Amino acid sequence: QVQLVESGGGLVQAGGSLRLSCTASGRGVSIYDMGWFRQAPGKEREFVAAIRWNTDEKNYEDPVKGRFTISRDNAKNTIYLQMNNLKPDDTAVYYCAAGSSFTHIPVIASEGSYRYWGQGTQVTVSS
C-alpha cells in the first residue's frame, strides 16, 4: 500500500514555472513506476509524464516535451514535476499515480495501469 500526496500547485503567469511534488507514505517511491496525469475542466484525464522504478527511464506526452521534467528523490520518498514555460493550456488538476510494486507498467501512459492515486493539485496558468 502507498498513499500519495501532491503539492506545489498554484496560479502562475504564462511563461512562468512551478514544481509539483508527490510524497509517498507507506512503501517507497523507488519500487513503483510513477506517473503524472492532468485533467482540465471538461476534458478527460491525460498522461503527462512517467518514470520507471528501476531504470529511471522517463516518458513524456508530446505537448510537454522540452518544458516539463519528471524526477525522483528516493531518500525523500518524493517525485517531482518541474514545469517551465507554462502555457494557459497547462491549466488543470495534476495527479500523481503509482503502479504496482516491483512491476513495469506495459503501457506507461495508460491511466488504468496505475494502482494508486493522489488527490490532485490545481495548476492555473493565466495569459
Side-chain angles (χ1 to χ4, degrees):
Q1 290 281 349
V2 62
Q3 294 79 42
L4 304 173
V5 178
E6 303 97 334
S7 61
L11 173 64
V12 64
Q13 288 187 332
S17 298
L18 284 173
R19 188 178 78 158
L20 305 183
S21 300
C22 171
T23 299
S25 59
R27 306 186 78 179
V29 297
S30 63
I31 63 172
Y32 297 92
D33 284 351
M34 301 291 298
W36 286 98
F37 288 75
R38 65 186 181 184
Q39 187 168 21
K43 296 185 177 181
E44 295 186 351
R45 190 153 57 183
E46 64 177 7
F47 171 76
V48 176
I51 185 167
R52 294 290 189 183
W53 72 273
N54 62 342
T55 65
D56 276 356
E57 174 190 348
K58 300 171 184 178
N59 292 269
Y60 299 93
E61 191 68 350
D62 284 345
V64 308
K65 284 181 180 177
R67 300 189 296 123
F68 290 12
T69 303
I70 188 171
S71 62
R72 183 206 314 264
D73 186 334
N74 291 338
K76 296 182 178 180
N77 254 358
T78 300
I79 67 166
Y80 302 97
L81 186 68
Q82 177 67 44
M83 305 186 296
N84 298 328
N85 190 21
L86 283 161
K87 304 175 181 180
D89 284 349
D90 295 319
T91 295
V93 178
Y94 283 71
Y95 297 91
C96 172
S100 298
S101 59
F102 303 108
T103 303
H104 264 212
I105 294 174
V107 182
I108 198 71
S110 172
E111 175 181 352
S113 298
Y114 291 81
R115 185 172 183 181
Y116 304 102
W117 291 85
Q119 300 275 7
T121 185
Q122 176 70 47
V123 172
T124 303
V125 184
S126 63
S127 57

